[in-house]
């Protein structure tokens, strides 16, 4: 994590942020194909055997890091986010968040950043 820290940002999202990400940008992995999570049948087909039958169950499993977190995490395709509204600052793009930059640990501030990217 120390090697990539100047290039990534991370934090603790709220349940609402996780829910927005899954509903707006969520794709499931079924038979190695990227399928949009448009309704609960997609989640049930991919994770039904782990007692995750709807999107709400999937969000709960991801947020609470439940017993089937690994399967739920592997089912979700990586989120493709756009650039933040207003863009990155040229001067502070590679500085740590504590120094006024964009990279590094944000804690609860990650929610505002993700909201700008949705």
């Amino acid at each position: 994590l120390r090697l990539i820290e100047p290039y990534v940002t991370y934090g603790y999202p709220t349940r609402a942020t996780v829910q927005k990400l899954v509903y707006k940008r969520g794709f499931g992995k079924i038979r190695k194909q990227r399928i949009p999570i448009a309704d609960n049948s997609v989640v049930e087909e991919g994770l039904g055997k782990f007692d995750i039958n709807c999107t709400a169950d999937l969000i709960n499993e991801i947020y609470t890091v439940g017993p089937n977190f690994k399967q739920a995490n592997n089912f979700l395709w990586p989120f493709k986010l756009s650039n933040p509204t207003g863009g990155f600052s040229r001067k502070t793009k590679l500085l740590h968040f504590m120094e006024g930059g964009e990279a590094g640990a944000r804690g609860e501030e990650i929610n505002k950043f993700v909201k700008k990217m949705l």
Side-chain angles (χ1 to χ4, degrees), residues 10-84:
Y10 52 93
Y12 306 107
T14 61
R15 182 183 292 271
T17 302
V18 174
Q19 184 175 351
K20 286 177 190 172
L21 277 170
V22 171
Y23 281 127
K24 193 165 186 181
R25 303 285 173 110
F27 287 87
K29 203 181 297 181
I30 296 178
R31 291 183 289 280
K32 298 183 181 180
Q33 291 185 338
R34 184 175 184 244
I35 309 294
I37 300 176
D39 56 7
N40 291 333
S41 64
V42 175
V43 176
E44 188 171 6
E45 183 181 344
L47 297 170
K49 60 186 169 231
F50 301 110
D51 200 33
I52 300 173
N53 298 317
C54 62
T55 311
D57 291 343
L58 175 64
I59 292 166
N60 186 51
E61 193 73 23
I62 294 292
Y63 185 74
T64 60
V65 190
N68 296 315
F69 173 78
K70 183 175 181 179
Q71 290 83 7
N73 193 32
N74 286 337
F75 169 75
L76 279 175
W77 206 269
F79 297 110
K80 293 185 178 181
L81 299 174
S82 58
N83 290 332

Side-chain angles (χ1 to χ4, degrees), residues 95-110:
L95 285 179
H96 194 277
F97 182 68
M98 294 301 205
E99 299 169 346
E102 305 291 345
R106 288 179 172 259
E108 295 291 323
E109 296 293 317
I110 194 74

